[in-house]
Amino acid sequence: MSGGFLISCVLLTLIVSSTYAQSCTKYNFTSNNQMLFTSCSDLPYLNSFLHWNYNPSTKTAKIAYRHTKIASTRWVAWAINPTSQGMVGSQALVAYQKSDGKMRVYTSPLTSYQTQLQEGDLSFNVSDLSASYSNNEITIFATLNLEAFNSTIVNQVWQEGPLSGDTPAMHDTSGVNVQSAGPLSLLSGQSGTTTTGASSQLNKKNLHGLLNAVSWGIMMPIGILFARYLKVFSDPAWFYLHSIWQITAYVIGGVGWVTGLQLGSESHGIQFTAHRTIGIVLFSLATLQASAMLLRPKRDHKHRIYWNIYHRSVGYSIVVLGIINIFKGLNILKPEKKWETAYIATLVGLGIIAVFLEVITWCVVIKRNKSVSSTVEKNPQGQGLYETSNGYGNGTTRTHYRV
């Protein structure tokens, strides 16, 4: 139990730490010609961050837009929309690395959904425009003259998409690509990270992923290991350990499932159908599994074998569906690659432990059965032997240990 609990705690710590490791306040610009930014915001989608300084007297903003975990074959953009909250009307700064390795950065006004990211003047002046690409991260630097703006709260939009040769192509029109917009308060962020409803939703997504990864993806498989391998060594203690462990995993997974439903209801027009469907089926099977414990026949009941088949089949199905859905969730949330690697390593570790325990268990069972056979040969009448696993008790039945 201690080993499984330790694995769960380690992954829990990794996921929690990854949530906070990406805070913009912890980032230091290494270029000597870049000043210290006093304000920053962790943008809730597309692995993006905005750093800025705003001068109210001159209404100028020096900005640095960072887009992390981006391949050199993709473009990024950050924009202010003076007229609305969407893409149409956005005044964008676009950057990408060309095939020759040089950076291309320019301004692009978007007048309609069909408008490509063509170079053009914006509705406000932009100076000191530059961009860099390093360690899978594109950063756009610029100074914006916002004299025409009547408010210090502006509508920002950010985006990424593929390149076609050395030309930006159409970005995805679903998922996080249509959520990457929100208000930016140039003044309220002067001393730290701005807080918006979008960032709150991101925290809820992280919580949803954390709870489900720990419950369905780690605790449930460990609970099955308890049931399969402790039975031979500790009966009936294995049953209580297995039951308590799986019920705890079910409760944690239930909270994660409810959080997922809330996220779905709050994300209008955005659906992850496969992830949602598997989640509903998974929780339904787990609820059925928990309820079936109330109808479990006694060991000597003639229908007990059918209940055992059902219980094991549903149990293994829950584990398989849980792991599949966790990887789908990772693909949606897109955390740092090392966290997906950590989860894969955890599964591999559990697999190695299972193989080791399988070998040990079979060795123990074979040894015990040989001992029982030897005892029967010395006592042909079978007096004193008793079948504990199937409930036979006539005093003449040979004991047989099973895995």
Side-chain angles (χ1 to χ4, degrees):
M1 177 177 178
S2 60
F5 182 74
L6 178 61
I7 293 174
S8 299
C9 290
V10 168
L11 191 65
L12 176 67
T13 302
L14 291 176
I15 296 175
V16 170
S17 63
S18 69
T19 301
Y20 297 98
Q22 293 299 301
S23 173
C24 64
T25 58
K26 298 181 180 180
Y27 185 83
N28 294 317
F29 289 91
T30 57
S31 178
N32 292 329
N33 62 352
Q34 299 301 334
M35 63 182 298
L36 177 66
F37 292 96
T38 57
S39 307
C40 70
S41 175
D42 298 336
L43 303 181
Y45 305 107
L46 299 178
N47 305 310
S48 299
F49 307 86
L50 183 69
H51 304 253
W52 76 94
N53 290 325
Y54 180 67
N55 188 332
S57 61
T58 60
K59 289 191 175 182
T60 58
K62 295 181 180 294
I63 67 102
Y65 168 72
R66 295 170 42 233
H67 195 116
T68 64
K69 293 183 256 183
I70 188 78
S72 60
T73 55
R74 299 183 70 80
W75 57 264
V76 304
W78 179 84
I80 288 180
N81 192 329
T83 59
S84 65
Q85 297 181 350
M87 185 186 77
V88 176
S90 295
Q91 308 295 297
L93 311 178
V94 184
Y96 57 89
Q97 186 179 55
K98 299 192 297 182
S99 55
D100 61 4
K102 296 180 179 179
M103 290 301 297
R104 168 94 162 111
V105 56
Y106 60 92
T107 58
S108 177
L110 301 175
T111 57
S112 70
Y113 284 107
Q114 287 72 36
T115 302
Q116 298 297 316
L117 292 173
Q118 297 177 349
E119 186 171 1
D121 293 332
L122 304 186
S123 62
F124 51 85
N125 291 330
V126 177
S127 59
D128 303 324
L129 183 61
S130 65
S132 63
Y133 179 73
S134 178
N135 298 323
N136 294 324
E137 179 176 313
I138 294 179
T139 305
I140 301 176
F141 298 97
T143 300
L144 314 178
N145 188 325
L146 305 177
E147 287 182 322
F149 288 71
N150 296 321
S151 173
T152 57
I153 298 178
V154 296
N155 300 313
Q156 64 173 331
V157 183
W158 61 99
Q159 195 55 259
E160 70 164 281
L163 290 173
S164 178
D166 282 343
T167 304
M170 186 65 182
H171 63 78
D172 290 341
T173 56
S174 62
V176 293
N177 288 85
V178 297
Q179 293 178 285
S180 52
L184 170 65
S185 176
L186 296 170
L187 290 178
S188 65
Q190 284 293 106
S191 60
T193 305
T194 58
T195 302
T196 64
S199 63
S200 174
Q201 189 179 55
L202 179 62
N203 291 334
K204 190 178 292 185
K205 284 185 177 181
N206 289 331
L207 177 63
H208 169 70
L210 168 65
L211 294 174
N212 287 313
V214 171
S215 58
W216 310 114
I218 298 179
M219 292 188 69
M220 284 290 182
I222 291 175
I224 288 182
L225 296 185
F226 290 157
R228 178 162 179 80
Y229 300 116
L230 294 185
K231 183 184 302 183
V232 175
F233 304 98
S234 181
D235 189 10
W238 71 268
F239 171 76
Y240 298 107
L241 180 60
H242 169 71
S243 300
I244 294 172
W245 186 271
Q246 298 299 70
I247 290 174
T248 303
Y250 171 73
V251 172
I252 295 174
V255 176
W257 183 73
V258 171
T259 305
L261 292 181
Q262 291 177 344
L263 284 169
S265 64
E266 294 170 0
S267 304
H268 302 290
I270 300 172
Q271 294 185 357
F272 301 103
T273 305
H275 182 66
R276 181 183 178 89
T277 301
I278 294 176
I280 293 174
V281 172
L282 175 62
F283 187 73
S284 299
L285 287 176
T287 302
L288 183 64
Q289 186 82 318
S291 303
M293 292 299 296
L294 302 175
L295 303 175
R296 184 170 63 101
K298 294 182 178 181
R299 285 185 174 184
D300 57 350
H301 196 283
K302 63 179 180 180
H303 296 312
R304 175 61 179 262
I305 185 173
Y306 302 111
W307 188 92
N308 287 339
I309 293 173
Y310 147 79
H311 184 69
R312 292 173 183 175
S313 300
V314 174
Y316 285 120
S317 297
I318 290 172
V319 169
V320 171
L321 288 175
I323 293 174
I324 291 174
N325 221 26
I326 286 170
F327 281 107
K328 286 187 174 296
L330 287 170
N331 187 54
I332 294 170
L333 193 57
K334 299 185 185 302
E336 289 187 58
K337 185 66 177 179
K338 61 183 178 181
W339 307 122
E340 181 176 351
T341 302
Y343 180 61
I344 294 174
T346 301
L347 293 181
V348 172
L350 290 176
I352 294 173
I353 293 173
V355 171
F356 175 76
L357 292 176
E358 187 77 19
V359 173
I360 295 298
T361 303
W362 275 107
C363 289
V364 171
V365 168
I366 292 173
K367 182 178 180 179
R368 289 181 180 177
N369 286 338
K370 286 183 178 180
S371 177
V372 170
S373 298
S374 175
T375 302
V376 171
E377 290 175 0
K378 294 179 181 180
N379 184 9
Q381 299 301 318
Q383 298 300 319
L385 297 181
Y386 196 82
E387 169 63 318
T388 57
S389 60
N390 290 327
Y392 303 117
N394 57 11
T396 60
T397 304
R398 178 182 303 180
T399 301
H400 179 66
Y401 294 96
R402 296 179 298 174
V403 178

